[in-house]
Amino acid sequence: FIPDDAAVQASADRHLFPTEYSGHLDKVMIENTKIMNRCKEVAKLINEDYRNERPVFVCVLKGASAFFHHLTSELMNLKQGFSYEFLRASSYSGARTDTTGNVKVSSEEFDFSALEGRHVIIVEDIVDTGTTLAKLIPIIKEHGKPTSVEVCTLLEKRIDHERRRSEVLLKKAKYAGFSIPNKFILGFGLDYNELYRDLKDIWVISKAGIEFDGKL
């Protein structure tokens, strides 16, 4: 649980970022060391539930890729068997700091047969309004015919229930790294206008970052 006022000012020796992002970042919400430790803890929870199974992870690109990499690395250390697939889906578009409500799922080349009769864990970077999952979960259930579907997310944003889709309220993430306040954050795979995925820590974007035209 990350409190509403938990973001801290950056330290030059601890919080490293490309020089071209100077002025774009407001405060650090979650430091990389805390993210790494939480990846280990979430991996242990998954291992406890699937020790005698081989779940299929569906990594939602692009945002979840960094979390997925570190999570599965920790599962390897625990000798947990698994397989994985990648799927591209998004409810954000371009230079927006709020979800559009329109979800794009690129599933044309996705091998749904790999999910049939299997325990599926969808790996997300962040769950806020639940718009992406409300579209994605039914697609996976209909075309993949898995035995079960669970959600593992790095971040779960605390927002008003009326903004969260009712379908997803009934299907909360079984595994969540951090509960965070309702702020637009980036880094560790999360982007704004396709920038900032290459940050080690998770940051709150600054006004200058929001107004940046995306040309580096």
Side-chain angles (χ1 to χ4, degrees), residues 65 70 78:
S65 58
H70 290 284
L78 295 170

Side-chain angles (χ1 to χ4, degrees), residues 23-141:
H24 298 193
L25 309 171
D26 186 14
K27 295 181 179 180
V28 178
M29 180 171 285
I30 310 175
E31 294 183 331
N32 184 264
T33 52
K34 186 176 289 188
I35 298 171
M36 294 296 100
N37 288 336
R38 188 60 181 147
C39 285
K40 290 182 181 180
E41 293 170 354
V42 173
K44 288 179 181 178
L45 294 175
I46 293 173
N47 176 245
E48 289 172 3
D49 290 341
Y50 295 92
R51 188 167 294 155
N52 298 316
E53 303 284 350
R54 287 185 59 86
V56 182
F57 291 97
V58 176
C59 175
V60 180
L61 299 173
K62 300 178 186 175
S65 58
F67 175 48
F68 170 80
H69 169 75
H70 290 284
L71 177 69
T72 53
S73 178
E74 293 299 337
L75 286 167
M76 292 175 189
N77 292 336
L78 295 170
K79 298 188 287 187
Q80 171 68 55
F82 59 86
S83 57
Y84 57 84
E85 302 289 336
F86 294 99
L87 184 66
R88 191 181 297 270
S90 176
S91 61
Y92 288 83
S93 178
R96 292 179 62 105
T97 58
D98 60 335
T99 180
T100 64
N102 299 315
V103 178
K104 295 181 180 179
V105 178
S106 301
S107 59
E108 293 82 3
E109 299 180 0
F110 187 79
D111 183 13
F112 284 102
S113 65
L115 311 183
E116 187 172 356
R118 303 286 297 278
H119 295 291
V120 171
I121 302 175
I122 300 171
V123 181
E124 273 274 30
D125 53 354
I126 185 169
V127 174
D128 44 26
T129 62
T131 304
T132 301
L133 289 175
K135 178 76 175 288
L136 186 55
I137 290 174
I139 290 175
I140 286 178
K141 286 183 175 180

Side-chain angles (χ1 to χ4, degrees), residues 109-216:
E109 299 180 0
F110 187 79
D111 183 13
F112 284 102
S113 65
L115 311 183
E116 187 172 356
R118 303 286 297 278
H119 295 291
V120 171
I121 302 175
I122 300 171
V123 181
E124 273 274 30
D125 53 354
I126 185 169
V127 174
D128 44 26
T129 62
T131 304
T132 301
L133 289 175
K135 178 76 175 288
L136 186 55
I137 290 174
I139 290 175
I140 286 178
K141 286 183 175 180
E142 178 183 356
H143 298 287
K145 297 179 174 56
T147 296
S148 67
V149 178
E150 298 293 350
V151 176
C152 176
T153 182
L154 174 62
L155 306 171
E156 197 165 44
K157 189 178 288 187
R158 298 191 295 276
I159 62 173
D160 296 335
H161 280 189
E162 56 266 24
R163 288 191 57 210
R164 197 182 284 273
R165 291 180 65 96
S166 59
E167 302 98 310
V168 180
L169 279 173
L170 300 175
K171 182 70 177 178
K172 286 192 173 184
K174 184 174 184 180
Y175 309 101
F178 301 95
S179 170
I180 64 169
N182 186 16
K183 296 182 180 180
F184 192 79
I185 45 84
L186 39 77
F188 201 73
L190 288 89
D191 79 302
Y192 176 63
N193 203 19
E194 288 299 324
L195 297 174
Y196 313 111
R197 296 190 195 275
D198 50 346
L199 295 169
K200 290 180 62 177
D201 308 293
I202 293 177
W203 297 73
V204 178
I205 193 170
S206 69
K207 186 174 184 292
I210 293 173
E211 294 174 349
F212 183 63
D213 63 9
K215 297 177 182 178
L216 293 175

